[in-house]
Amino acid sequence: MDTLQDYLLSKGYTKVKLKLTKTNHFEIKASINGVKGLFILDTGASNSCVGFEAIETFMLKAKDSEVKAAGAGATDMLTQVSKKNTVKIGKWKKEKVSLILFNLTHVNTALTSHDAKPVDGIIGADLLKRSKAIIDYEKKYLYLKI
């Protein structure tokens, strides 16, 4: 019998290593518009997000948004949206990706208070669905369909 890895790789998936943080989140490295960053993998986040402070870093074109963000103990947060971005995770790459921009201070404060690294953003369900993602929690790998 093939392993999950063998099966998924034979079906055109690529694998990306995940790192479990002290806060029990998975960290993942990804790049936006060719710039590398550190992100939390969050299946409960409806959209992938980047912090306001990383707008210049990732060369994002931000526009105001009517949508209010909520999560991790914060509600009614102002957001912006950035469209037509290129996101690359391992060998998986997608163009024309929209990202939500908001203040990630509360997220990074929680992470650093538990000796975890601050992150540039969150990889959410929107990208996980687009990539037909499969998470191997035991082996700490994310599989994405190329």
Side-chain angles (χ1 to χ4, degrees), residues 5 12-13 38 42 46 54-55 63 67 75 81 90 93-94 118-119 136 144:
Q5 174 180 287
Y13 280 78
L38 187 63
D42 187 348
S46 53
I55 290 173
K63 293 185 179 177
V67 177
T75 59
V81 65
K93 183 177 177 179
K94 192 55 99 181
V119 294
D136 182 340
L144 307 167

Side-chain angles (χ1 to χ4, degrees), residues 3-145:
T3 63
L4 176 64
Q5 174 180 287
D6 293 338
Y7 177 77
L8 291 174
L9 295 177
S10 76
K11 296 294 182 189
Y13 280 78
T14 184
K15 72 177 185 174
V16 180
K17 187 70 178 158
L18 298 171
K19 179 184 175 195
L20 191 63
T21 68
K22 291 180 180 180
T23 59
N24 217 22
H25 290 94
F26 278 129
E27 271 180 1
I28 187 167
K29 293 177 183 173
S31 66
I32 298 174
N33 301 325
V35 180
K36 293 178 183 174
L38 187 63
F39 298 84
I40 286 177
L41 187 69
D42 187 348
T43 61
S46 53
N47 293 292
S48 295
C49 311
V50 174
F52 284 139
E53 60 281 351
I55 290 173
E56 286 184 26
T57 303
F58 293 115
M59 300 171 281
L60 303 173
K61 293 183 176 117
K63 293 185 179 177
D64 288 337
S65 170
E66 298 294 317
V67 177
K68 301 281 189 203
T75 59
D76 279 345
M77 294 181 289
L78 295 175
T79 65
Q80 293 183 312
V81 65
S82 178
K83 298 181 178 182
K84 298 182 182 175
N85 297 290
T86 300
V87 176
K88 188 169 187 277
I89 304 170
K91 294 178 184 173
W92 182 86
K93 183 177 177 179
K94 192 55 99 181
E95 297 177 350
K96 299 180 183 172
V97 174
S98 291
L99 298 166
I100 302 299
L101 311 171
F102 75 106
N103 186 337
L104 276 179
T105 303
H106 66 288
V107 172
N108 282 325
T109 298
L111 290 170
T112 55
S113 71
H114 289 90
D115 297 322
K117 293 179 191 171
V119 294
D120 298 301
I122 296 165
I123 301 297
D126 58 337
L127 287 179
L128 296 173
K129 285 194 295 189
R130 282 174 83 173
S131 64
K132 298 185 169 114
I134 296 171
I135 301 170
D136 182 340
Y137 285 91
E138 183 183 353
K139 299 230 176 9
K140 299 182 185 79
Y141 279 108
L142 173 68
Y143 293 89
L144 307 167
K145 179 83 168 169

